[in-house]
């Protein structure tokens, strides 16, 4: 059993320090400010070709417990199965499974669909890792979503991750304490057995500006926060630095008071940074929750609503046209694919060897694509999931995610910025047509590379009849 799982199960507040595989290895602490500590190795943060956490873990002491990140970007299920096997051989216990942010060199497949970048979803990773056995599995969650639909979509997907077998959850980096409080309450009520950790960081103006410029996916930094940090630094750099560590210490202590099982500490791996943070924690360790919160508000000179929530939140309802499309697609699906008669007839037709002849196979594939591409954006994935995605094709998400959104939306807009997130559209539609449970509970299997560019009609009837 890993030490991390013991800390979390025994409600021993703990700290996990994040290290990049591109950085020079630093000494790692086993306790920090009287809390047990461990480390995490992040997967491809700086470039798409950063050294793999599995390869870099030997650069750190063996007796320090590690959480290895696995990001699904650019990965297929077969890659993940190989990774699990290697992780088992290297005696890895803790994994943090992520769908991943946009690849720096993402291919959209417009020139050649076979080259489209694929993202293996965290939900499917949890399913596979659970089957494999022997791991303590963490997943990420972004509670910092302010539009109703993107917020709902995140929580539906979280339910699937937990249903699939996630053992603990780590939040995205964020500074809105009201959101952290509400999320903790939700978890306590819905999944009291699942320990949660919050991602925190000593937020300097330089880091905030960098993340804002780089548009780091899913991190909310409001104009108020950026202006405030800049102004504070300009006024008195020494005091600003002291406040950075004071705020980080307070956020850690507030998370502890709120009932978080620990924190995941980003950008604090240098011994000098750790010493400053440790000192600040010692200074505030005896404060109550309300005292910490009052000091936090004072140090930010604001409250959550004014300072941390983005502007421009707009909540829409599904349009009449979307509802009508859903209803007609649903009717067709029932009639041609789900009914007993359709299954019997389809099974009979498609079990024939005729469809294995290359010409017939190709003709079927082209007919299917022609029928569905204009209607839903089909890309011949070979495993049609429309029935589980309210007839909104997962291939129209640039990452091809079927089980729910990544953490990268901003007010319902996709991380790729060129469209609305399809999972927000689905969440809105689900509410209007009473299908929330589908988004919350239907775990949609991943599509293996070899299934793509085959006819899903043939595959459907050959597996369902
Ligand atoms: S559509 Fe949604 S889930 Fe897909 S990449 Fe964009 S933000 Fe992420």
């Amino acid at each position: 059993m890993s030490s991390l799982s013991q800390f979390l199960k025994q409600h021993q507040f703990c700290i996990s320090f994040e290290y990049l595989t591109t950085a020079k290895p630093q000494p790692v602490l086993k306790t920090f400010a009287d809390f047990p500590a461990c480390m995490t190795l992040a997967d491809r943060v700086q470039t798409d070709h950063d050294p793999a956490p599995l390869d870099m873990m030997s650069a750190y002491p063996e007796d320090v417990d590690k959480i290895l990140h696995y990001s699904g970007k650019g990965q297929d299920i077969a890659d993940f199965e190989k990774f699990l096997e290697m992780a088992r051989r290297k005696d890895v216990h803790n994994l943090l499974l992520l769908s991943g942010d946009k690849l720096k060199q993402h291919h959209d497949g417009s020139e050649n669909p076979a080259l489209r970048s694929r993202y293996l979803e965290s939900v499917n990773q949890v399913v596979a890792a659970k089957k494999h056995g022997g791991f303590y599995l963490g997943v990420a969650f972004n509670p910092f979503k302010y539009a109703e639909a993107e917020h709902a979509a995140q929580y539906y997907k979280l339910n699937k991750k937990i249903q699939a077998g996630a053992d603990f959850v780590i939040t995205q980096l964020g500074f809105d304490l009201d959101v952290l409080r509400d999320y903790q309450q939700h978890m306590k009520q819905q999944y009291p057995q699942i320990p949660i950790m919050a991602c925190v960081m000593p937020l300097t103006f330089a880091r905030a500006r960098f993340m804002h410029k780089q548009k780091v996916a899913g991190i909310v930094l409001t104009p108020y926060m950026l202006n405030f940090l800049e102004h504070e630094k300009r006024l008195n750099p020494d005091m600003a630095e002291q406040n950075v560590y004071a705020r980080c210490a307070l956020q850690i202590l507030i998370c502890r008071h709120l009932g978080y099982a620990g924190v995941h500490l980003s950008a604090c791996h240098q011994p000098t940074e750790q010493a400053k943070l440790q000192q600040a924690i010692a200074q505030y360790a005896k404060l109550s929750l309300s005292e910490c919160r009052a000091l936090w508000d004072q140090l930010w000179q604001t409250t959550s609503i004014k300072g941390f929530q983005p502007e421009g939140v707009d909540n829409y309802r599904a349009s009449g046209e979307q509802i009508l499309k859903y209803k007609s697609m649903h009717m067709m699906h029932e009639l041609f694919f789900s009914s007993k008669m359709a299954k019997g007839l389809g099974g009979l037709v498609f079990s024939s060897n005729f469809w294995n002849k290359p010409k017939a196979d190709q003709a079927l594939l082209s007919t299917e694509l022609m029928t569905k591409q204009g209607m839903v954006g089909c890309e011949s994935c070979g495993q049609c999931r429309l029935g589980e995605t309210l007839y909104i094709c997962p291939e129209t998400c640039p990452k091809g995610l079927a089980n729910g959104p990544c953490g990268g939306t901003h007010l319902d807009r996709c991380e790729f910025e060129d469209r609305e997130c399809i999972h927000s559209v689905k969440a809105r539609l689900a509410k209007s047509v009473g299908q929330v449970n589908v988004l919350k509970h239907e775990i949609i299997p991943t599509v293996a590379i070899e299934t793509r560019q085959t006819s899903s009609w043939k595959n459907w009837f050959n597996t369902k009849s």
Side-chain angles (χ1 to χ4, degrees):
M1 191 191 266
S2 70
S3 334
L4 176 79
S5 63
Q6 272 172 324
F7 302 148
L8 297 185
K9 280 177 192 156
Q10 291 163 4
H11 308 285
Q12 222 182 329
F13 190 83
C14 61
I15 299 203
S16 126
F17 287 92
E18 183 181 271
Y19 292 82
L20 301 186
T21 58
T22 42
K24 192 170 153 247
Q26 300 284 337
V28 183
L29 300 170
K30 284 172 84 176
T31 55
F32 179 81
D34 291 337
F35 302 124
C38 63
M39 64 173 287
T40 75
L41 273 168
D43 186 11
R44 288 168 291 161
V45 171
Q46 287 184 324
T47 74
D48 295 342
H49 308 288
D50 288 359
L54 255 185
D55 296 335
M56 291 309 292
M57 59 184 268
S58 56
Y60 292 89
E62 219 172 280
D63 62 342
V64 174
D65 207 24
K66 300 173 188 70
I67 306 174
L68 258 56
H69 292 197
Y70 183 91
S71 165
K73 53 186 173 184
Q75 308 287 355
D76 179 57
I77 189 71
D79 302 313
F80 185 58
E81 297 282 1
K82 264 186 239 153
F83 164 82
L84 288 175
E85 200 38 52
M86 285 192 293
R88 188 189 59 79
R89 272 194 240 128
K90 290 196 172 187
D91 220 14
V92 170
H93 295 288
N94 313 309
L95 296 176
L96 180 72
L97 304 176
L98 316 147
S99 304
D101 58 345
K102 179 184 176 184
L103 281 162
K104 311 270 181 296
Q105 281 147 5
H106 172 88
H107 295 287
D108 63 7
S110 51
E111 281 168 23
N112 178 356
L115 295 181
R116 178 174 165 181
S117 301
R118 297 289 167 194
Y119 295 74
L120 179 64
E121 297 189 68
S122 52
V123 173
N124 301 125
Q125 293 175 36
V126 176
V127 172
K130 215 62 202 176
K131 227 184 256 168
H132 202 281
F135 296 105
Y136 190 57
L137 301 175
V139 288
F141 176 66
N142 193 337
F144 302 99
K145 298 295 173 194
Y146 294 88
E148 193 184 314
E150 63 173 354
H151 178 271
Q154 286 291 329
Y155 277 85
Y156 299 155
K157 187 170 183 183
L158 175 64
N159 189 71
K160 286 195 194 181
K161 292 178 187 177
I162 293 173
Q163 193 179 309
D167 297 302
F168 66 102
V169 185
I170 302 184
T171 67
Q172 170 65 288
L173 175 68
F175 304 90
D176 186 339
L177 295 184
D178 288 354
V179 167
L180 285 173
R181 179 203 57 210
D182 294 348
Y183 162 61
Q184 196 279 333
Q185 284 297 318
H186 173 86
M187 293 301 286
K188 197 169 136 200
Q189 279 163 14
Q190 301 293 320
Y191 317 101
Q193 77 287 8
I194 303 288
I196 57 171
M197 297 174 83
C199 181
V200 299
M201 121 183 330
L203 186 67
T204 59
F205 172 59
R207 283 182 185 139
R209 186 177 48 186
F210 175 81
M211 290 191 287
H212 181 67
K213 268 199 176 159
Q214 298 295 314
K215 298 189 176 159
V216 177
I219 296 182
V220 179
L221 292 163
T222 59
Y224 176 85
M225 294 168 75
L226 289 159
N227 292 337
F228 178 81
L229 292 171
E230 184 177 20
H231 181 70
E232 183 184 61
K233 184 161 185 243
R234 211 179 309 123
L235 224 56
N236 184 339
D238 290 340
M239 182 57 80
E241 188 188 83
Q242 212 175 307
N243 289 346
V244 162
Y245 288 95
R247 284 190 286 263
C248 187
L250 287 167
Q251 189 170 3
I252 292 171
L253 294 168
I254 289 170
C255 285
R256 186 169 176 236
H257 281 301
L258 288 174
Y260 279 75
V263 292
H264 172 96
L265 195 44
S266 244
C268 193
H269 52 272
Q270 305 280 357
T272 47
E273 298 165 327
Q274 294 176 346
K276 286 178 208 158
L277 182 59
Q278 198 147 212
Q279 209 179 352
I281 294 178
Q283 191 180 344
Y284 304 124
K286 293 210 166 68
L287 298 187
S288 66
L289 173 59
S290 56
E291 286 167 333
C292 287
R293 184 62 205 254
L295 195 51
W296 167 271
D297 288 346
Q298 193 184 318
L299 282 172
W300 273 109
Q301 293 179 18
T302 187
T303 58
S304 265
I305 294 169
K306 284 196 199 136
F308 300 95
Q309 302 193 0
E311 284 173 5
V313 179
D314 247 327
N315 293 317
Y316 310 98
R317 297 170 68 120
S319 68
E321 200 185 327
Q322 287 168 327
I323 296 173
L324 193 67
K325 185 172 176 188
Y326 165 81
K327 287 191 174 161
S328 42
M329 296 284 293
H330 188 59
M331 210 170 67
M332 280 201 287
H333 188 269
E334 290 297 301
L335 191 65
F336 296 122
F337 296 97
S338 286
S339 66
K340 228 176 166 183
M341 193 180 73
K343 281 183 186 165
L345 203 64
L348 207 66
V349 172
F350 287 106
S351 60
S352 158
N353 269 339
F354 170 76
W355 299 107
N356 294 334
K357 292 183 182 152
K359 272 195 179 157
D361 191 39
Q362 193 51 48
L364 182 64
L365 186 62
S366 307
T367 312
E368 183 179 343
L369 186 65
M370 240 164 30
T371 321
K372 286 157 66 183
Q373 195 172 40
M375 200 161 27
V376 290
C378 170
E379 284 195 16
S380 299
C381 73
Q383 184 183 305
C384 191
R385 295 150 287 169
L386 287 174
E388 294 131 317
T389 59
L390 309 187
Y391 309 100
I392 293 172
C393 179
E395 300 298 311
T396 57
C397 157
K399 293 182 185 170
L401 305 184
N403 279 294
C406 64
T409 58
H410 178 65
L411 300 182
D412 287 332
R413 294 298 295 169
C414 169
E415 179 186 341
F416 286 61
E417 296 182 334
D418 59 348
R419 68 197 81 191
E420 187 174 25
C421 174
I422 67 156
H423 303 282
S424 291
V425 179
K426 281 195 308 185
R428 237 177 260 137
L429 186 57
K431 195 175 166 193
S432 299
V433 298
Q435 291 294 328
V436 162
N437 278 339
V438 174
L439 301 191
K440 227 171 144 182
H441 297 292
E442 284 280 345
I443 295 182
I444 304 170
T446 191
V447 181
I449 285 181
E450 55 275 17
T451 307
R452 294 190 177 276
Q453 299 306 310
T454 63
S455 165
S456 78
W457 289 344
K458 188 168 89 175
N459 298 340
W460 167 272
F461 288 113
N462 284 335
T463 50
K464 306 267 170 171
S465 55

